[in-house]
Structure formats: C-alpha cells, structure tokens
Amino acid sequence: QSVLTQPPSVSGAPGQRVTISCTGSSSNIGADSDVHWYQHLPGTAPKLLIYGDNNRPSGVPDRFSGSKSGTSASLAITGLQAEDEADYYCQSYDSSLNVFWVFGGGTKLTVL
Amino acid sequence: EVQLLESGGGLVQPGESLRLSCVASGYTFNRHGMTWVRQAPGKGLEWVSTISDTGSTFYADSVKGRFTISRDNSKNTLYLQMDSLRAGDTAEYHCAKGRGGFSDGYFDLWGRGTLVTVSS
C-alpha cells in the first residue's frame, strides 16, 4: 500500500487530454511538501517530468503540466501521443514516517 | 554524456549478500546526494536509501540494519551493500541523482537499473 495514491490506469485517444491524480495526506502533500512526477518505461531509466509541483526540466514538452491543491496533486498531459504510453509516478516527502521520500503506486497510461 | 550506470545485480539465495555499484559520469558527482530506488516485479517504485553529499545516510525501515549505502567520490561511484537478503528484496534497483533537500527533494537523473533476484 503506497503512501501516495494514484489510479492504476488511465487511457485516452491521440490528441486528447488526460489527468493523473496523486492523493496524499497532511504529513506529505498537505504539509506543503513538493510533488514531483516521473515517466517510466519498464527496462529503461525513469525520467523526471515535473519537479517542484509545476516546473518542467529542460527538454520536457509543455504538453506536460503539474498542479497541487490541499492534499492532492495532478499531472496533466495534453495532445496525447503514442510515445506517451508509459507508467507515471508521483513522489513527495513524508514527515511522519521514517520513510522520507515516498512514491505513488504508479499509473499506467494507455494511448488508445 | 550525463549518465548513471548500475551493475552488480544477480541471483542469490536468501541470507546471502550482494554489492551494487553505480558509476556516474558527466557531472560533478561529489556535489549531489545519491539514492537507491527499487521496483519489485509488478509493483511501483520504492525509495530504499539515500546518502547526502556530505555523507549522511538514510534508510527505509524495510532495509535498515541489512543494507549499507556508501560512496567513493574519487571514483564517482555509489554503492549499496545488501546483506541478509530476503525474497522480498527481489527487484530492479535504480540509482538516482538527487536535487533539493528534504521537503523539496527529487531525482533528476536515473540509471536503467540492475536486477536482484533472491530465491532458493
């Protein structure tokens, strides 16, 4: 059971917009800890997509955006492309457990 | 090229040990904290251990007392010594370069991983 909760799967057609939620608690996202997002294709290196809630590293398309409110955060992907099909993970810091950095369970994005 | 390359994974029996290595290139290794993250088969990412740029170490409860993280800045290399391995430690182990501190910490460069299988 992950500290941060994500839907197991989402899907969308090419060109559409999808969002992936990440729900935490008052000891992580609700404590104003930053939320970060990663894209991962099994067998490859995970890639940083969003850091500090809503910042994109150089090279990440502006089709990817992040937001945070209360104890939840979201990743939005617009103009879906086939290459976006991957697993997506949120990550934050938890102050209540001796775990420090925590990940969501991951969301599999399928491009129909 | 900026990259991280892990090695040292393999098949071991329960109770045995293994040492993972992660060689960094393309950036100033000693200026950044380093972390190990694992992914068990069919599961999500799990933080395992972190070592700061100054050598402070942090462990997940699931590995505390069994795993030891260390770094050799002269070799741009991160290590994870894994003792008393259990079946539940079976996973792909990724090393990652850290940015930020505690509440704003994240990982901006990852390796492809090395597979550890613990089975009799």
Side-chain angles (χ1 to χ4, degrees), chain A residues 33-34 36 38 40 43-48 51-52 89 91 93 98-101 103-105, chain B residues 37 39 43-45 47 50 58-59 61 64 94 101-108 110-112:
Chain A
S33 294
D34 285 2
H36 322 286
Y38 304 89
H40 185 214
T44 70
K47 174 186 175 183
L48 176 67
Y51 67 95
Y89 293 89
Q91 175 250 314
Y93 169 80
N98 193 29
V99 180
F100 298 101
W101 297 278
F103 289 90
Chain B
V37 174
Q39 182 175 29
K43 303 293 186 182
L45 300 174
W47 172 75
T50 291
F58 308 88
Y59 298 93
D61 283 345
K64 194 175 297 181
H94 299 272
F102 282 92
S103 67
D104 62 350
Y106 61 97
F107 313 111
D108 67 347
W110 296 65
R112 295 184 63 171

Side-chain angles (χ1 to χ4, degrees), chain A residues 86-102:
Chain A
D87 298 323
Y88 292 83
Y89 293 89
C90 60
Q91 175 250 314
S92 188
Y93 169 80
D94 195 293
S95 59
S96 72
L97 308 168
N98 193 29
V99 180
F100 298 101
W101 297 278
V102 292

Side-chain angles (χ1 to χ4, degrees), chain B residues 3 5 7 12 23 26 57-58 63 69 74 79 91 99 103 106:
Chain B
Q3 66 176 0
L5 185 62
S7 62
V12 295
V23 178
T57 58
F58 308 88
V63 306
I69 191 171
S74 69
Y79 301 101
R99 295 295 299 272
S103 67
Y106 61 97

Side-chain angles (χ1 to χ4, degrees), chain B residues 20-22 29 34-36 51 69-70 76-79 95:
Chain B
L20 306 184
S21 299
C22 167
F29 180 72
M34 294 294 294
T35 290
W36 289 98
I51 184 166
I69 191 171
S70 62
N76 287 351
T77 303
L78 172 73
Y79 301 101
C95 62

Side-chain angles (χ1 to χ4, degrees), chain A residues 30-78:
Chain A
D32 206 27
S33 294
D34 285 2
V35 178
H36 322 286
W37 292 89
Y38 304 89
Q39 179 189 62
H40 185 214
L41 280 164
T44 70
K47 174 186 175 183
L48 176 67
L49 274 184
I50 298 288
Y51 67 95
D53 300 337
N54 55 17
N55 300 287
R56 282 187 310 277
S58 155
V60 174
D62 59 6
R63 301 187 297 105
F64 295 90
S65 63
S67 63
K68 185 177 80 175
S69 178
T71 59
S72 294
S74 289
L75 173 70
I77 309 172
T78 59

